[in-house]
Amino acid sequence: MSKKPLLLFPLEIKAREFPARLFLAGLAVQNGYDVIIGRSKTLHRALYKFPRGIIIENDAQPRSQRFFAKARKMGFKIFSWDEESLVTLTDAIYAQLRVSPQTVALTEAFFCRGTGDVESLQKTYPEVADKFIASGNPRLDILHPKWTGDLVKDEKRPTTILINSRFSIVNPFYISPEKAKGNVFKKFGIPRESETGRHIEGWLDHARDMFLAFAALTEKIAQAFPDYRIIIRPHPSENHGFWKDLADKYDNCESFYEGAAADWFLKADSLVHNSCTTAIEASLTGLPSFAYLPAGDNIYDAALPNSVSQRFYDADSMIAALKELPRLSEDIREKTSLEARKSLSSHIAGIEKSESSAIIFDHIQKTPFEPFHYKMLLWRLYDAFRTNLSAFKQAIINLFKKNEKLKEARVGYAQQKYPGVSEEEITDLLQKYGYSDFKVHPWHHEWHMISPKK
């Protein structure tokens, strides 16, 4: 074990977070740190089982405040950024719903998308202004062509259109759309009749309309391009069965979720989306993006991903443009990537030189780690008592409250979001990112340890 503090990388959604957090973890290991990485829920439910260190969290919402406070009392340090901040509704709503000044105050730093976000958050929450750092996101670092690899040049493969869905609330995994909609207001404690509530209500209605229109567009594309390969990639929290059933209608259409979305960026020739974060990521690898906006440009669309896409307001004009698009070549890829980085540089820090991970790690390195104090042990013992008491109470409740169908659905949803990681996956990705002097082994509780070779 190194004398430097242990770094803990919790993962909530594997497809979204695993590669980028592993990229940052590799940078840390290269600089002498030990890292453990694994399922976020395990850490949050039983923190007392984990050794003290620096936790790299994926949000600073109001609901995270209790966990952050507990972790601090047990001697942990916390850094955080918001994995869902690359695309936001509005600056005001983002600050109100996704960022809690009380939670941010418990972190060493909260990393933001860019200087614009920092200025907006500092103005909204001046009491924690020094916590906000413009860094971008490591998810964008790994989309640099030197990490994404060579373009697939199989001349026998059919022209491929990648279609990305983003409708997790109006096409939820196992609950009804009505319940999912209500959960949005419940989760953030927003009254429906408030100004923010009315905006969210309008956005959810818009999302429902776009979901139906996007599904219809997908069928039209499948019908218009019988000789193409059509790949549908659902959102991690969506009902994937809907898209599989749609894809099964057509011989040229498939629905895939396994692996990261970036795995398809070099196998496809274009991306079709509706205000989806994936368009930002795809454009950085050089994949041309097509935004479908049948309701026109409006306040409920996400401006940033649409800004790096060709925008279409009806299905026929998009299909006509797709027919004219050549197969993805290195020239197209390079041109698209450079234009996207230049366009996004004023919004996202570190994007032109892919240096978000370096910015974040520099702050981690500069953080002093407190020596052990007996109060930390007392809080750890207290957390163990409370956690096990809660588990015992829940077990008693479950004896009298049996709903196997709901239990099965929840397990399936959790498995869809985080199917686990293997030692081989970690090793292969770290080597892909240029790291070599490390060792990996299973740790505990669905986590893995990554250490420098001594």
Side-chain angles (χ1 to χ4, degrees), residues 283-284 308 332-345:
S283 68
L284 296 178
V308 291
I332 294 174
R333 180 188 177 197
E334 182 177 357
K335 181 175 182 291
T336 303
S337 178
L338 288 174
E339 288 178 350
R341 290 176 190 278
K342 183 177 180 180
S343 172
L344 295 169
S345 62

Side-chain angles (χ1 to χ4, degrees), residues 406-421:
L406 178 60
K407 181 180 178 181
E408 183 179 336
R410 286 175 173 169
V411 171
Y413 180 54
Q415 190 70 15
Q416 177 173 288
K417 291 173 68 176
Y418 187 82
V421 301

Side-chain angles (χ1 to χ4, degrees), residues 12 21-22 64 72 98 116 120 130 133 137 157 163 174 193 241 273 282 306 315 332-333 353 358 387 410 413 425 449:
E12 181 183 5
R21 286 180 176 255
L22 197 59
S64 298
R72 289 295 301 270
R98 300 287 310 177
S120 177
D130 62 322
I133 307 294
N137 191 304
R157 75 168 176 85
I163 300 177
Y174 65 92
E193 64 276 7
H273 71 97
N306 294 340
I332 294 174
R333 180 188 177 197
K353 297 182 180 179
T387 299
R410 286 175 173 169
Y413 180 54
E425 285 180 289
M449 169 77 77

Side-chain angles (χ1 to χ4, degrees), residues 85-103:
S85 68
L86 287 177
V87 172
T88 61
L89 286 178
T90 68
D91 289 344
I93 290 178
Y94 170 70
Q96 180 182 359
L97 303 189
R98 300 287 310 177
V99 181
S100 161
Q102 292 81 12
T103 307

Side-chain angles (χ1 to χ4, degrees), residues 10-12 38-46 50 410 413-414 417 446-447:
L11 304 171
E12 181 183 5
R39 187 189 293 270
S40 176
K41 186 175 290 186
T42 310
L43 177 76
H44 283 228
R45 287 185 173 178
F50 288 77
R410 286 175 173 169
Y413 180 54
K417 291 173 68 176
E446 303 177 283
W447 284 57

Side-chain angles (χ1 to χ4, degrees), residues 77-118:
K77 297 270 187 172
I78 301 170
F79 286 90
S80 183
W81 65 82
D82 188 349
E83 288 290 359
E84 298 185 22
S85 68
L86 287 177
V87 172
T88 61
L89 286 178
T90 68
D91 289 344
I93 290 178
Y94 170 70
Q96 180 182 359
L97 303 189
R98 300 287 310 177
V99 181
S100 161
Q102 292 81 12
T103 307
V104 170
L106 296 167
T107 69
E108 301 305 306
F110 181 74
F111 298 110
C112 303
R113 179 177 59 180
T115 54
D117 293 333
V118 168

Side-chain angles (χ1 to χ4, degrees), residues 141-157:
D141 286 351
I142 62 172
L143 299 174
H144 192 281
K146 69 179 177 181
W147 304 127
T148 53
D150 296 329
L151 185 65
V152 175
K153 298 179 180 178
D154 182 5
E155 296 300 327
K156 295 182 180 179
R157 75 168 176 85

Side-chain angles (χ1 to χ4, degrees), residues 31 58 73 87 171 179 198-199 229 234 253 305 308 337 342 389 406 408:
N31 283 274
N58 63 9
K73 290 173 181 176
V87 172
N171 179 36
K179 185 172 178 58
R198 290 193 297 272
H199 186 93
R229 187 184 187 192
C253 197
V308 291
S337 178
K342 183 177 180 180
L389 179 62
L406 178 60
E408 183 179 336

